[in-house]
Amino acid sequence: MGFYEEHILPRGIDWVLSGKRFHAVRERAVTGARGAVLEVGFGSGLNLPFYPDAVEKLYALDPSRVARKLATRRIRRAPFPVEFAALKENGVIDLPDQSVDAVVTTFTLCTIPDAPAALKEFQRVLKPGGVYHFLEHGRDPDPDIARWQDRWNPIQKCIAGGCHVNRPIAKLIEDSGFTLHECENFYLDGPKLFTYMYGGKAVVGGTV
């Protein structure tokens, strides 16, 4: 990572995504999470205050050392232990098969270079009956807005650490082998180019 990606961007993301307008959607995203949880794209720990009491432990996965430092105070306040997980060079999460009850991503799939491979890893570490909770921004169903997203995307990737504004989140999740249990689409406040949201839960076969 360069200086901008390592030192400036994590602080900017923490500032932008910590606003009160995100609180309700974050709480909704983690509703029902329980047991051992893996949060991919943990960042500065902005979801920690919203996890339900049923969570017993959280594995936090994020490549940014600065983001980890920003998360220190929130981790201390968490009512459950937080342990940082590692990502091996081949993209494998350093956790055993079927070891977590839930996987959580919020504003994360947009940035992961190989999102389909990451989603397969989520399936590997989930226990039978485990749930993937997601809150992601992505491709707008309005063709006119989607065209502008495609035009803007190369710039977005440069200034936002590889973030894509035009990924079809629901399709990515389903194509990876997950079954969508629920998926809510809505706009957050702000330019539609960046604020079309996908929020819900997915499972590997069966039901929640």
Side-chain angles (χ1 to χ4, degrees), residues 121-194:
E121 272 296 283
F122 301 170
Q123 294 168 33
R124 180 185 67 82
V125 300
L126 275 171
K127 295 177 183 178
V131 180
Y132 169 41
H133 301 246
F134 59 91
L135 173 66
E136 303 288 345
H137 72 108
R139 192 169 191 85
D140 196 292
D142 184 320
D144 292 331
I145 297 174
R147 278 193 291 271
W148 278 107
Q149 288 179 316
D150 292 337
R151 293 168 183 154
W152 176 258
N153 201 57
I155 302 171
Q156 179 77 5
K157 289 192 292 182
C158 288
I159 65 176
C163 172
H164 296 69
V165 295
N166 62 350
R167 283 184 170 172
I169 298 299
K171 185 176 187 300
L172 280 173
I173 293 171
E174 288 188 301
D175 286 352
S176 75
F178 274 114
T179 299
L180 287 176
H181 176 68
E182 59 184 68
C183 184
E184 179 186 8
N185 298 112
F186 56 94
Y187 288 103
L188 288 175
D189 293 338
K192 289 186 176 181
L193 200 68
F194 311 103

Side-chain angles (χ1 to χ4, degrees), residues 8-23 26 44 46 70 74:
I8 305 300
L9 190 60
R11 291 179 170 88
I13 292 172
D14 177 69
W15 178 70
V16 171
L17 296 183
S18 63
K20 290 184 179 180
R21 66 184 178 130
F22 297 104
H23 289 186
R26 288 184 185 279
S44 55
L46 292 173
L70 294 173
R74 296 181 181 110

Side-chain angles (χ1 to χ4, degrees), residues 102-114:
V103 174
V104 173
T105 67
T106 59
F107 304 98
T108 299
L109 280 185
C110 60
T111 304
I112 295 175
D114 190 346

Side-chain angles (χ1 to χ4, degrees), residues 36-52:
V37 177
L38 167 65
E39 183 176 337
V40 179
F42 176 75
S44 55
L46 292 173
N47 290 325
L48 284 177
F50 305 104
Y51 277 105

